[in-house]
Amino acid sequence: MRILALATAFASLALPALAEVSVNDISRYLNSFRSAQAEFTQINGDGSLSTGDLSLQRPGRARFDYDAPNKGLVIAGGGQVAVFDPVSNTPPEQYPLSQTPLSIILAENVDLGRSGMVVGHGGDATQTAITLQDPDNPQAGRIQLVFTPAPVTLRQWVITDDTGNQTTVVLGDMQTNTSLGASLFNIPLEMQRRGLQN
């Protein structure tokens, strides 16, 4: 369940060459908020669907609370990603946040102008897609962000991980600059709450 390798169906999105929303507009939009919350629908590589609630807080923090019957939990915080299995009494699978391209949009300052960051950009009057990779860590995979214009709004992302697996996350209406407690993104605290040992 490499959930932060989040994507599927939209990876083959074919858009005209002329983009409606510029890279600068996207950078300004992403840097205009420090936190956000939204409901989401996740389309997994095998075609299965999951739903839940997403919380983001830059820099480097995210939380995916999955609805029943999944009831899974993924937390990014402290430079790590932890995948909690709701039916297991074992510690969560953990790996560095830098190993997922989601780290790009969780950066302190989202700088899409870096050389090698943007590897695809296209759109029309209704939506724009931009594909990004970490130029310092391209083997970590890519993230494609899809926006609607006027005002610029993030609608979905598609992550292709280092194995080529894709997962799509479609966002509901996103509330930005919301007040989020630090404990939401505290992996050791969540482990302690669940009675799990390192």
Side-chain angles (χ1 to χ4, degrees), residues 82-96:
V83 181
F84 290 86
D85 183 343
V87 298
S88 171
N89 290 323
T90 59
E93 175 189 357
Q94 294 194 58
Y95 51 92

Side-chain angles (χ1 to χ4, degrees), residues 25-189:
D25 286 339
I26 292 171
S27 292
R28 277 193 294 271
Y29 165 74
L30 292 174
N31 286 313
S32 71
F33 58 88
R34 304 294 294 174
S35 60
Q37 290 179 290
E39 294 181 348
F40 70 89
T41 298
Q42 179 174 309
I43 308 167
N44 303 305
D46 61 3
S48 62
L49 299 178
S50 304
T51 61
D53 295 293
L54 165 67
S55 301
L56 300 176
Q57 189 172 68
R58 300 200 340 267
R61 287 166 284 189
R63 182 181 177 108
F64 297 81
D65 286 287
Y66 288 81
D67 297 332
N70 184 318
K71 299 200 76 170
L73 173 64
V74 175
I75 298 177
Q80 293 288 306
V81 176
V83 181
F84 290 86
D85 183 343
V87 298
S88 171
N89 290 323
T90 59
E93 175 189 357
Q94 294 194 58
Y95 51 92
L97 177 61
S98 61
Q99 289 184 4
T100 169
L102 191 61
S103 62
I104 295 171
I105 62 171
L106 292 178
E108 175 76 29
N109 179 59
V110 180
D111 180 11
L112 303 186
R114 289 178 60 197
S115 176
M117 174 80 75
V118 177
V119 295
H121 183 209
D124 57 23
T126 61
Q127 66 178 20
T128 294
I130 186 167
T131 304
L132 310 170
Q133 68 178 13
D134 182 350
D136 297 326
N137 195 19
Q139 68 275 10
R142 295 181 175 187
I143 183 169
Q144 180 190 67
L145 306 175
V146 180
F147 300 87
T148 52
V152 178
T153 305
L154 179 62
R155 295 300 184 184
Q156 71 182 39
W157 66 67
V158 180
I159 289 184
T160 304
D161 69 12
D162 55 353
T163 69
N165 183 55
Q166 294 182 322
T167 310
T168 298
V169 169
V170 180
L171 300 173
D173 290 335
M174 191 162 61
Q175 306 298 314
T176 59
N177 290 319
T178 56
S179 179
L180 298 173
S183 62
L184 283 175
F185 313 103
N186 189 316
I187 295 170
L189 184 62

